[in-house]
């Protein structure tokens, strides 16, 4: 019957879907310039968060957080870097109240070897501490332990860790991969860390989303889209820690149903109140949160424009009170139905979205019996990595994928388009943006993200080849 309905609606429905997705901008399922103030503060703008169990390290939790959207590889002479005046965090909630129980704090320092030169680096940089690398960054990693949101102790995990340089080009850094890998550092208590420039792992047809031709091919489930993030870089923090270091009882997880199995993850950025100079010095308790990100999509297309900055400065524990009505009654679903009858997206009481993203799926991503409705990326650490991952994750039967954590290959744009249309309540609409994968293959070992494109090879954006339509429910 559902296939027959699509045949009857035919071209009119395809046009409707294309236009409506433009009108409501569903596709940007990631935090690239998602709020008015963070759009003016790229070094504080956390663009994506990922949490997964890597096949080569299944007893660890791997966290990836990215900042600084749309880094053009040729963006010299002042290439991109973390901001010394900001504090970057990876946060974890292991009790389900939306309050951080563990925080990993990252603070950066920049040094310039020769301020009389305009060069970021000069030939040949063959090591991460080469004197020819004129601009260097280093950082510290501190674990904060909290009870009811208040810090009770902290542990320094690493000091003076080098940041991988930007990939300015092969003449300057002939073996960029070898140099960047020298930034991989072991941390106290087990695990490893990496910080530096990487290829942006997110993939989405942004240009079509914000113009009249939202879906370039069919309903977006048969390729043909344009990856407008392809070729750009980001600055990444990748942290891998033993699972027992992040659970509520500091014990390993025995299985999917273990009471300590699920943790919620989000990234955030803090800055000093009213900074008056470029001095990177800090006082105690004088920082405010300027950005945060848990699940993709929430601040982008659920939170209204007038509240996006409030979302960035508030905490997950208050999400239900502050923003719950916008999740339960998403404007996006309403606009789809007003402009284009036939999609039949549910408009009210969207408890399915609340469950999938905020309170967690019972038996899979829910923390405890009565968790807060909090925008944290929840991951069940008792679920093993999938032998054959499916890019549609849980809705394709792959419980190791989004929204159970988020792997680099998970197609969160297509997943969330289908969920908003009603996938979880039986309204199977085969939506997508026509972009199925990243422009570069990911690495099989830490830090997993692909190397950034060299400056001279800057050629952003990629066209997705067309392919047979992916049905709904999806099979890949």
């Amino acid at each position: 019957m559902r296939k027959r309905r699509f045949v009857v609606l035919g071209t009119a429905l395809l046009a409707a879907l294309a236009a409506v997705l433009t009108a409501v901008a569903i596709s940007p399922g990631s935090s690239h310039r998602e709020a008015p103030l963070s759009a003016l503060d790229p070094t504080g703008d956390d663009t994506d968060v990922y949490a997964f169990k890597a096949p080569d390290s299944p007893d660890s939790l791997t966290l990836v957080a990215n900042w600084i959207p749309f880094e053009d590889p040729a963006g010299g002479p002042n290439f991109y870097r973390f901001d010394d005046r900001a504090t970057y965090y990876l946060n974890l909630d292991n009790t389900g109240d939306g309050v951080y129980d563990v925080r990993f704090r990252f603070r950066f320092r920049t040094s310039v070897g020769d301020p009389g030169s305009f060069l970021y680096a000069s030939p040949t940089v063959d090591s991460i501490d080469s004197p020819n690398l004129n601009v260097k960054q280093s950082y510290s990693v501190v674990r904060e332990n909290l009870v009811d949101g208040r810090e009770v102790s902290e542990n320094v995990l690493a000091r003076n860790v080098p940041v991988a340089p930007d990939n300015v080009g092969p003449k300057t850094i002939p073996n960029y991969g070898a140099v960047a890998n020298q930034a991989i550092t072991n941390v106290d208590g087990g695990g490893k860390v990496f910080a530096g420039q990487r290829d942006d792992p997110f993939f989405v047809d942004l240009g079509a989303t914000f113009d009249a031709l939202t879906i370039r091919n069919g309903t977006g489930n048969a390729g043909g889209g344009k990856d407008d993030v392809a070729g750009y870089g980001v600055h990444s923090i990748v942290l891998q820690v033993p699972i027992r270091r992040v659970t509520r009882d500091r014990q390993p997880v025995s299985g999917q149903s273990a009471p300590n199995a699920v943790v919620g993850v989000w990234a955030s950025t803090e800055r000093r109140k009213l900074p008056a100079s470029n001095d990177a010095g800090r006082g105690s308790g004088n920082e405010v949160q300027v950005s945060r990100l848990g699940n993709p999509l929430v601040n982008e297309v659920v939170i209204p424009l007038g509240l996006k900055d409030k979302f960035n400065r508030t905490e997950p524990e208050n999400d239900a009170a502050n923003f719950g009505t916008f999740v339960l009654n998403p404007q996006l679903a309403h606009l789809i139905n007003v402009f284009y009858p036939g999609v039949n997206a549910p408009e009210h009481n969207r408890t399915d979205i609340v469950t999938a993203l905020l309170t967690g799926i019972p038996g899979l991503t829910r923390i405890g019996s009565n968790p807060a409705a909090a925008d944290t990326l929840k991951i069940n650490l008792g679920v093993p990595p999938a032998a054959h991952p499916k890019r549609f994750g849980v809705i394709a039967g792959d419980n190791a994928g989004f929204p159970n954590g988020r792997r680099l290959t998970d197609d969160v744009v297509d997943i969330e388009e289908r969920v908003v249309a009603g996938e979880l309540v039986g309204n199977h609409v085969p939506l997508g943006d026509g972009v199925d994968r990243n422009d570069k293959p990911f690495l099989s070992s830490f830090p997993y993200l692909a190397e950034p494109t060299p400056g001279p090879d800057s050629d952003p954006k990629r066209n997705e080849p067309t392919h047979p339509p992916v049905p709904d429910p999806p099979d890949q």
Side-chain angles (χ1 to χ4, degrees), residues 82 106 108 127-129 133 137-139 141 158-166 176-187 191-198 236-239 446-447:
F82 292 104
F106 300 80
F108 293 82
S127 68
I128 204 164
D129 58 356
L133 182 59
Q137 279 200 300
S138 61
Y139 64 101
V141 187
R159 286 193 177 96
N160 299 317
V161 183
V163 175
D166 288 17
Y176 178 82
V179 173
N181 282 345
Q182 293 174 19
I184 299 173
T185 302
N186 293 329
V187 297
K192 60 187 71 172
V193 68
F194 171 93
Q197 190 180 50
R198 294 277 96 178
S236 303
I237 294 174
V238 187
L239 178 67
F446 192 90

Side-chain angles (χ1 to χ4, degrees), residues 138 214 216 263 268 272 364 414 476:
S138 61
T214 301
R216 301 176 192 264
V263 299
S268 58
R272 287 177 296 153
L364 184 62
D414 286 15
Q476 58 180 260

Side-chain angles (χ1 to χ4, degrees), residues 355-366:
T355 297
L357 299 182
L358 304 186
T359 58
I361 301 168
L364 184 62
T365 60
R366 179 163 293 185

Side-chain angles (χ1 to χ4, degrees), residues 425-470:
V425 291
N427 191 34
H428 301 295
V429 184
L431 296 178
D433 68 337
V435 180
D436 304 340
R437 57 189 55 82
N438 192 47
D439 58 308
K440 294 183 179 181
F442 297 115
L443 306 180
S444 59
S445 59
F446 192 90
Y448 306 109
L449 294 91
E451 295 176 9
T453 300
D457 298 337
S458 178
D459 185 22
K461 307 184 187 300
R462 178 188 70 93
N463 292 315
E464 180 79 36
T466 59
H467 56 72
V470 178

